Amino acid sequence: MVTRRWHGTSTRGSAARIITGIGALFAIIEVVYILLVVLGANAGNAFVQFIKSLAEPLALFFPGLFPIANPTLNVLVNYGLAAVFWLVVASLVARLVR
């Protein structure tokens, strides 16, 4: 027996997967930056600077949202919120697309 799918459903499902993947990628960038800061990576290293250059614009309005005196905890909280934000927003947009 051959099962046929409506072409539009397959396309929407693919678009939803791409959106979810992009949100996950953005969240991963934020988490990698958090780990580099928390683990004390050399801030002068080219890889650390590259990840930072990606993470800062993706963090949107979250850096400085909660002013915390401890710089490590500040990055953990504010960039962690940004990572969660990207996962939630990508999930909601993917559901709308489906």
Side-chain angles (χ1 to χ4, degrees):
M1 173 186 250
V2 177
T3 310
R4 295 182 186 206
R5 289 186 178 178
W6 182 55
H7 183 66
T9 303
S10 176
T11 303
R12 285 185 297 202
S14 296
R17 282 190 294 276
I18 290 170
I19 291 167
T20 303
I22 290 171
L25 177 64
F26 288 177
I28 288 169
I29 290 169
E30 298 295 339
V31 169
V32 168
Y33 178 65
I34 291 167
L35 289 174
L36 290 172
V37 170
V38 169
L39 297 175
N42 178 6
N45 183 285
F47 177 72
V48 175
Q49 290 177 354
F50 173 69
I51 294 298
K52 181 179 180 180
S53 73
L54 295 175
E56 285 181 343
L58 290 175
L60 303 172
F61 53 85
F62 288 102
L65 184 63
F66 296 104
I68 300 171
N70 182 336
T72 303
L73 185 58
N74 188 28
V75 168
L76 181 66
V77 169
N78 291 312
Y79 285 81
L81 285 172
V84 171
F85 168 82
W86 284 115
L87 292 174
V88 170
V89 167
S91 176
L92 291 174
V93 172
R95 279 191 180 176
L96 289 174
V97 169
R98 275 192 205 115

